[in-house]
């Protein structure tokens, strides 16, 4: 940063800039992203990743990746790998600074011994329930444990015996000795260590005692000399305890700053609840395109740029709030409009015959791939006597302002000719089965000399060239904007039964047979799509990312 001009755009940046001014160039912005490897990352984590790495980028600092792996029962290397993949995909790099809280187990154990030595920790033989029962309430002081007065020698011996495996699981804990009547419940002799025989994904069976999150997280920050330890608001009232540990242990004073969690309407951001959706089979996996996980959003067709721009725009707040999905959709549309190739796909095909076009003749028409980006080039589209158009683009008795096709109406076929409809056939139910038209040979796109006006432009696909494939369209996964906030109801009750719709009868332009996974398209007039990894040779599968226009306002009105 040069000079004293502030570039801060939020309260955390203000703190950093004032520190940089006071402490000089020696002061380093050193942040960390500290996921617990017990699930896949979700959109809330994306926000935290962008914040931590983004601050380091802005202020010439560094960011560590630290796995907070102190709970062997729920953690797994599968999650470690997925987390790394997701952060890289978002475009951030922790270089060689990949750390694990479990790397510090030895050091944390010695921190605990040090507290015992200072008379600030003791071994308690009470059960979990007894400890909870004696905790008191915010307005009523707790009771001191009968084991609180143990001597330093006895505590030291018992704690090392706990480590050596002399005692069964749950029979003893190590607690800090602070203040059982403190108004801050976290000061009422919090548990620091428990006995738990569980195989850890990194340390195996080396340990049978594990530190509690509160005794591991802050100390890990200090060990790594993190200057700004950013976390969500629920840790605000843990901060005095972390500061107490720093003071007692005389370790590096990392500064914790809290910010509001990102909550997006109709999405849930709790790994535990997302795990339930996966385990109980409500979705196809962590990367189901309906999931608010980074892996799910990626498969759905979201781009790193869209998520980063979204995170920036949401900014950071000190109070919880709820962000609309439409904001997220705005950023993906904005990005895909620049990069997606335009193609023609007819969702619900109905056959249209151009009677004055020679039978058996075909021509290749040039079609640009992206009008927003001339460097995207063009492709050739086969055109002939029989084409498909979308059933939605036909109406037998249309209203006045209808610019699509109907009896005695004129439209342009995208990249092709103007046609005029003069006949059609219907089935017994009144559905149109075939539309008959004539075309104007001198109205070809790019060299139109017909002088004929057509208000509407339709997309189409040549019948003999049409490729088969699948379209997967998604709706919100939950019908309630905050499905996890209803105390007496399980969030599963709010699952949207029609969140996935599979369309197997669409007609695709033939260029789509050669798809590569993860490529983005704009299906002309319909929306943005991405190829799904389930695609097979000769059978492309597309996920709908988002429609072309914001349909939320309308959708919500209709629901009321
Ligand atoms: P979950 O409830 O999904 O398990 P968590 O906070 O327990 O979330 P962690 O793996 O501990 O998950 O989170 C890693 C980091 O991401 C933490 O610093 C946490 O504060 C941050 N984080 C988690 N959820 C959100 C969110 N919704 N918005 C912003 N940051 C978040
Ligand atoms: Mg957590």
């Amino acid at each position: 940063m040069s000079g004293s001009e502030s570039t801060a755009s939020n309260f955390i940046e203000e703190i950093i800039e004032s520190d940089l001014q006071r402490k000089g160039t020696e002061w380093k912005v050193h942040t960390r992203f500290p996921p617990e490897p017990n699930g896949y990352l979700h959109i809330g984590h994306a926000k935290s990743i962008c914040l931590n790495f983004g601050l380091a980028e802005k202020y010439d600092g560094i960011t560590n990746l630290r796995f907070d792996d102190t709970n062997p029962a729920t953690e797994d290397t599968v999650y470690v790998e997925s987390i790394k993949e997701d952060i890289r995909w978002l475009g951030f790099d922790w270089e060689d600074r990949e750390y694990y809280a479990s790397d510090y187990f030895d050091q944390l154990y010695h921190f605990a011994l040090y507290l015992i030595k200072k008379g600030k920790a003791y071994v308690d033989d009470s059960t979990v329930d007894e400890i909870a029962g004696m905790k008191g309430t915010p307005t009523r002081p707790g009771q001191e444990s009968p084991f609180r007065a143990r001597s330093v020698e006895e505590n030291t011996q018992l704690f090392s015996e706990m480590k050596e495996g002399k005692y069964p699981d749950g029979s003893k804990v190590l607690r800090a000795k602070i203040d059982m009547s403190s108004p801050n419940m976290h000061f009422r002799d919090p548990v620091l260590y428990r006995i738990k025989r569980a195989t850890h994904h990194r340390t195996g069976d080396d340990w049978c005692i594990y530190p509690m999150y509160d005794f591991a997280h802050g100390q890990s920050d200090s060990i790594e000399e993190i200057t700004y330890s950013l976390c969500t608001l629920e840790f605000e009232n843990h901060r005095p305890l972390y500061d107490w540990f720093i003071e007692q242990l005389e370790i590096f004073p990392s500064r914790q700053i809290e910010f509001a969690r990102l909550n997006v309407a109709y999405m849930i951001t709790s790994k535990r609840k997302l795990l339930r959706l996966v385990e109980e089979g409500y979705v196809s996996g962590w990367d189901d395109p309906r999931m608010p996980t980074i892996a799910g959003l990626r498969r759905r067709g979201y781009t790193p740029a869209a998520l980063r721009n979204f995170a920036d725009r949401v900014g950071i707040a000190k109070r919880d709030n709820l962000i609309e999905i439409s904001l997220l959709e705005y950023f993906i549309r904005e990005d895909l409009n620049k990069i997606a190739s335009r193609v023609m796909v007819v969702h619900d095909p109905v056959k249209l015959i151009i009677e004055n076009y020679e039978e058996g003749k075909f021509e290749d028409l040039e079609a640009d791939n992206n009008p927003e980006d001339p460097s995207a080039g063009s492709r050739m589209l086969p055109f002939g006597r029989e084409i498909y158009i979308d059933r939605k683009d036909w109406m037998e008795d249309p209203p006045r302002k209808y610019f699509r096709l109907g009896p005695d109406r004129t439209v342009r076929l995208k990249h092709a000719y103007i046609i005029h409809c003069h006949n059609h056939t219907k089935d017994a139910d009144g559905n149109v089965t075939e539309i008959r038209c004539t075309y104007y040979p001198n109205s070809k796109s790019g060299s139109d000399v017909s002088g004929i006006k057509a208000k509407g432009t339709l997309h189409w696909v040549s019948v003999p060239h049409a490729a088969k494939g699948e379209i997967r369209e998604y709706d919100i996964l939950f019908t309630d904007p905050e499905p996890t906030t209803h105390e007496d109801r399980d969030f599963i009750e709010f699952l949207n039964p029609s969140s996935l719709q599979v369309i197997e009868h669409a007609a695709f332009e033939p260029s789509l047979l050669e798809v590569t996974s993860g490529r983005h398209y704009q299906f002309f007039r319909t929306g943005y799509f991405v190829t799904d990894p389930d695609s097979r040779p000769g059978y492309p599968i597309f996920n709908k990312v988002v429609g072309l226009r914001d349909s939320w306002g309308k959708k919500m009105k209709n629901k009321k």
Side-chain angles (χ1 to χ4, degrees):
M1 226 197 4
S2 60
S4 56
E5 200 100 320
S6 169
T7 63
S9 62
N10 59 53
F11 71 95
I12 298 180
E13 293 187 359
E14 276 165 18
I15 293 173
I16 291 177
E17 293 194 2
S18 123
D19 283 350
L20 284 168
Q21 261 179 9
R22 279 186 298 117
K23 304 185 191 213
T25 48
E26 286 294 280
W27 185 248
K28 264 249 158 298
V29 172
H30 194 171
T31 57
R32 86 288 175 259
F33 175 63
E36 185 180 352
N38 60 351
Y40 277 58
L41 298 181
H42 52 62
I43 183 137
H45 295 116
K47 164 77 217 167
S48 174
I49 292 166
C50 291
L51 175 63
N52 281 292
F53 282 90
L55 285 173
E57 268 173 16
K58 178 165 179 181
Y59 295 104
D60 199 22
I62 50 176
T63 305
N64 293 0
L65 169 60
R66 179 189 338 120
F67 291 98
D68 247 326
D69 55 351
T70 52
N71 187 7
T74 56
E75 294 158 4
D76 202 310
T77 45
V78 172
Y79 300 134
V80 169
E81 292 311 314
S82 76
I83 287 169
K84 292 201 275 188
E85 185 186 350
D86 288 348
I87 301 172
R88 268 192 220 108
W89 177 77
L90 276 175
F92 296 107
D93 185 4
W94 56 94
E95 297 171 323
D96 58 352
R97 293 178 305 280
E98 177 177 327
Y99 301 116
Y100 294 80
S102 56
D103 291 343
Y104 311 137
F105 279 170
D106 217 52
Q107 173 115 52
L108 294 169
Y109 175 73
H110 284 97
F111 283 157
L113 281 176
Y114 187 62
L115 284 184
I116 293 174
K117 209 165 93 197
K118 289 179 85 170
K120 300 287 184 186
Y122 62 98
V123 172
D124 194 337
D125 299 358
S126 312
T127 64
V128 174
D129 290 341
E130 283 163 350
I131 292 174
M134 294 167 75
K135 198 117 216 198
T137 66
T139 50
R140 188 168 48 81
Q143 288 158 261
E144 295 189 351
S145 160
F147 301 96
R148 201 174 195 258
R150 277 177 165 157
S151 69
V152 169
E153 291 68 35
E154 191 184 1
N155 282 319
T156 307
Q157 185 180 344
L158 288 173
F159 186 53
S160 57
E161 286 172 352
M162 279 167 64
K163 174 182 185 257
E164 282 152 21
K166 258 194 137 174
Y167 304 110
D169 284 11
S171 60
K172 289 183 178 7
V173 292
L174 182 73
R175 295 177 74 179
K177 192 173 182 175
I178 313 181
D179 179 3
M180 286 307 290
S181 54
S182 170
N184 184 332
M185 299 293 284
H186 298 291
F187 274 85
R188 297 191 183 176
D189 292 8
V191 174
L192 308 181
Y193 266 89
R194 69 219 146 112
I195 308 174
K196 194 176 175 86
R197 284 168 179 78
T199 304
H200 187 277
H201 72 109
R202 282 174 62 89
T203 58
D205 296 317
D206 290 355
W207 294 85
C208 66
I209 55 169
Y210 288 97
M212 302 301 288
Y213 179 85
D214 274 353
F215 193 64
H217 189 87
Q219 278 79 300
S220 301
D221 284 339
S222 294
I223 292 169
E224 294 174 17
E225 302 200 344
I226 300 300
T227 47
Y228 300 100
S229 170
L230 310 177
C231 66
T232 40
L233 286 178
E234 65 268 29
F235 290 101
E236 190 169 10
N237 56 7
H238 296 236
R239 179 168 17 101
L241 177 63
Y242 298 167
D243 289 343
W244 186 86
F245 288 137
I246 286 173
E247 199 187 309
Q248 295 298 327
L249 297 169
E250 301 140 46
I251 52 181
F252 185 88
S254 301
R255 173 168 181 184
Q256 173 173 305
I257 305 172
E258 304 87 15
F259 64 97
R261 290 179 74 91
L262 169 67
N263 298 308
V264 183
Y266 302 96
M267 292 188 171
I268 58 175
T269 48
S270 149
K271 281 179 285 185
R272 204 164 36 83
K273 296 197 171 80
L274 294 171
L275 176 66
R276 225 184 116 193
L277 294 177
V278 174
E279 282 188 334
E280 295 176 20
Y282 295 110
V283 294
S284 64
W286 285 101
D287 69 343
D288 186 300
R290 291 165 295 180
M291 289 280 271
T293 51
I294 297 180
L297 291 164
R298 173 166 63 231
R299 185 164 174 187
R300 174 73 173 265
Y302 271 79
T303 59
L307 293 181
R308 288 172 71 150
N309 291 339
F310 171 72
D312 263 7
R313 169 60 196 281
V314 166
I316 54 165
K318 284 188 194 174
R319 278 227 220 115
D320 281 322
N321 57 359
L322 191 65
I323 305 293
E324 297 297 331
I325 290 191
S326 54
L327 188 64
L328 186 58
E329 292 183 345
Y330 167 83
F331 285 104
I332 187 61
R333 260 188 219 106
E334 184 191 54
D335 195 31
L336 293 187
N337 183 42
K338 286 181 274 183
I339 61 172
S341 312
R342 273 60 170 171
V343 289
M344 295 210 277
V345 175
V346 176
H347 275 58
D348 187 7
V350 55
K351 198 188 263 186
L352 184 151
I353 295 171
I354 301 166
E355 292 182 324
N356 60 338
Y357 198 93
E358 196 181 313
E359 225 162 313
K361 177 185 154 184
F362 296 100
E363 64 183 303
D364 273 332
L365 301 173
E366 188 170 4
D368 56 351
N369 289 331
N370 187 349
E372 303 283 318
D373 174 15
S375 76
S378 63
R379 67 193 185 287
M380 296 315 248
L381 280 174
F383 181 81
R385 182 181 162 90
E386 297 193 356
I387 60 170
Y388 289 122
I389 65 162
D390 203 288
R391 195 168 288 279
K392 274 208 219 104
D393 286 333
W394 164 268
M395 221 183 228
E396 186 171 7
D397 189 15
R400 223 168 53 87
K401 286 256 161 149
Y402 186 82
F403 297 131
R404 304 176 201 178
L405 205 54
D408 205 26
R409 283 182 175 248
T410 304
V411 295
R412 170 169 293 286
L413 296 173
K414 179 76 176 169
H415 302 304
Y417 300 94
I418 295 177
I419 55 170
H420 183 83
C421 172
H422 51 79
N423 208 348
H424 66 280
T425 53
K426 294 188 285 187
D427 63 17
D429 299 326
N431 300 313
V432 66
T433 49
E434 197 176 273
I435 300 164
R436 297 205 154 243
C437 295
T438 48
Y439 85 118
Y440 300 94
N442 58 356
S443 67
K444 190 164 164 176
S445 274
S447 55
D448 181 3
V449 290
S450 67
I452 293 165
K453 287 220 160 47
K455 281 205 171 132
T457 303
L458 305 190
H459 57 291
W460 54 272
V461 169
S462 163
V463 171
H465 299 91
K468 282 198 185 330
E470 188 176 306
I471 294 173
R472 297 176 181 170
E473 291 200 348
Y474 304 97
D475 197 356
I476 41 176
L477 188 52
F478 295 97
T479 54
D480 185 278
E482 296 178 277
T484 59
T485 57
H486 304 269
E487 267 179 25
D488 48 345
R489 293 181 68 182
D490 186 4
F491 72 98
I492 295 291
E493 291 175 41
F494 297 100
L495 275 170
N496 176 5
S498 46
S499 57
L500 169 64
Q501 197 197 340
V502 177
I503 299 161
E504 287 167 310
H505 302 293
F508 297 84
E509 69 165 67
S511 74
L512 288 173
L513 273 177
E514 299 147 36
V515 292
T516 40
S517 187
R519 182 151 174 210
H520 290 96
Y521 295 94
Q522 185 195 103
F523 290 3
F524 185 61
R525 296 176 66 224
T526 353
Y528 291 103
F529 292 79
V530 69
T531 44
D532 189 85
D534 281 350
S535 299
R536 303 185 292 274
Y539 193 79
I541 297 176
F542 296 91
N543 294 318
K544 183 165 184 180
V545 190
V546 68
L548 291 181
R549 272 170 290 276
D550 183 3
S551 58
W552 271 93
K554 214 160 108 195
K555 219 187 213 169
M556 291 300 105
K557 236 183 244 153
N558 292 343
K559 283 211 165 127
K560 271 177 197 155

